[in-house]
Amino acid sequence: MFNNMDNKSDINNISIEALKNINLDDVNLDMPVPDTEPGRQYYFMGKCKQLVKNISDEIGRPLRYYIKTFGCQMNARDSEKLTAILECLGYEEAEEGACDFILYNTCTVRENANQKVYGRLGHLKSQKRDNPYMIIGLCGCMMQEAHVVEKICKSYPFVDLIFGTHNIFKFAELLYYRLQSGNQIVDIWENTDQIVEELPSRRKFPFKAGVNIMYGCNNFCSYCIVPYVRGRERSREPKAILREIEHLVEDGVVEIMLLGQNVNSYGNGLCEPINFAELLKEVDKIDGLQRIRFMTSHPKDLSDELISVMANSKKVCRHFHLPLQSGSSRLLKSMNRKYTKEQYIGLVEKLREAMPDLSITTDIIVGYPGETEDDFLETMDVVRRVKYDSAYTFIYSRRSGTPAADMEQVPEDIVKDRFDRLLTLVNEISKKRTGRLEGKTAEVLVENVNAHDCSMVTGRLDNNILVHFKGSKNDIGTFKNVYLKKAMGFYYLGEVR
Ligand code: 5AD
Ligand code: SF4
């Protein structure tokens, strides 16, 4: 079915399902460039592969790549797709200092993430001088900010390839233009309503995978740059999501994480109405799938239906990440979060009532503009009352273009003091919470061999807490019943039962 007269594939006429299994060497590269996706990208992968082979033949070794991912799970998932494309082209994975193509998939949620990228770019200049084939690429959220791209083009002109979040699917095409012309390629889209399905992907773990269910965010929390760099909310069709998960399970995956900036508003805008709770119910039915996680939930959209689907499921893990951001209703209003302190606590009560063993984690920002000591004490109060299993605590970072950037900022020394107090409280509570399972036996999914002691493995409980115990690499991807012998603060030391 793939072959036309000269035994080469005409990508325009191949089904999406079949495209994933196509051999790039069989792509007919003499045909006009396909107009439609993802065929167009498979065409450019075929083109790139030839160029990569030519260079490899010339230098007498395979070309090597390194991808550094900053930021969240969405970026991690994007990097798996970028990795797969590079491997299809013949690139081999290498260390940062020994590669011919380096790609930074950037994050811009806080300013320190940006600084890390600039710092690393400074070092790359000499690496590039020593390797005439070296290509430096930048992509991801930071690239969606015009002032960043301007700065890079001016101060780091040796960067070869710049693209953003909306056109990440065009990676092969852009890389082809760079390899073929030697010119700097910059391609940033302001927004998109396109979702390109069925490009290759290489999972970091054979037994677990992230699955995007939606892209973008419509919430415009006043401190947050994500809606500006990731665009408006777009949900994937449920059929495409379920098919992807079924394929993953056939391929040995037992745990999936459904990904979106605000999974609780999944389904808005789709032709056939569906909400997140309904999607979860469908995912739950997939045979062979054993654990389901999701990230991130916005409290304003957390429905009773979702709580009930979760409570009635044996597969949905007993872990809920519910970002608080602030415990002060006054600040929550200014943050445009659309819930009050009392409503948030009400949700936690509902969750705990439905699932008494649930782990709850959160994100908290300290030093949001206008935060008074009283506001901060409200946050401390919520932390004491909810008793989070763990909390990611962030110092507010001013993001230009967001409403909060123009508000009166809190002095640094005050923020630092509050941050330290919050962290001490969070750690104290989290240590106690983790301890509650000491002496019990629970199921652990083994993830990797311990980096410090190769006679030990590390796995994850259903509630997301890590457990270290004796084992070997053969245990990776399997479930073990582990006696949680000692709680060590944020993890357990255990013994297989
Ligand atoms: N400053 C500090 N933290 C932020 N977050 C988002 N924007 C900012 C900012 N400007 C945090 C929020 C969010 C998490 C992913 O990052 O807590 O939930
Ligand atoms: Fe940012 Fe708010 Fe959207 Fe989360 S929900 S990505 S904090 S704007």
Side-chain angles (χ1 to χ4, degrees), residues 217-221 223-227 261-262 298 325 337:
C217 179
N218 284 354
N219 293 313
F220 290 94
C221 301
Y223 50 81
C224 186
I225 200 158
V226 168
Q261 305 295 348
N262 175 15
H298 194 306
Q325 313 301 2
R337 290 292 287 177

Side-chain angles (χ1 to χ4, degrees), residues 62 176 204 275 326 337 402 416 418:
Y176 170 74
K204 196 168 165 207
N275 63 31
S326 167
R337 290 292 287 177
T402 62
K416 177 81 184 61
R418 288 181 191 157

Side-chain angles (χ1 to χ4, degrees), residues 109-110 223-225 323 325 363-365 394-399:
V109 83
R110 286 169 290 277
Y223 50 81
C224 186
I225 200 158
Q325 313 301 2
D363 293 342
I364 300 172
I365 298 175
F394 304 109
I395 287 183
Y396 168 75
S397 172
R398 190 177 193 167
R399 310 312 294 130

Side-chain angles (χ1 to χ4, degrees), residues 167-230:
N167 57 347
I168 197 155
F169 69 89
K170 267 183 78 182
F171 177 46
E173 180 169 351
L174 300 173
L175 182 58
Y176 170 74
Y177 289 131
R178 169 61 188 80
L179 286 168
Q180 191 238 9
S181 71
N183 295 335
Q184 185 186 55
I185 307 290
V186 180
D187 190 22
I188 308 291
W189 295 6
E190 247 174 56
N191 51 43
T192 186
D193 53 9
Q194 211 175 345
I195 295 179
V196 178
E197 297 284 355
E198 304 294 342
L199 281 168
S201 169
R202 197 202 69 171
R203 292 195 310 279
K204 196 168 165 207
F205 298 95
F207 56 91
K208 70 171 187 175
V211 175
N212 296 107
I213 63 166
M214 59 199 297
Y215 302 93
C217 179
N218 284 354
N219 293 313
F220 290 94
C221 301
S222 59
Y223 50 81
C224 186
I225 200 158
V226 168
Y228 305 87
V229 296
R230 286 260 169 196

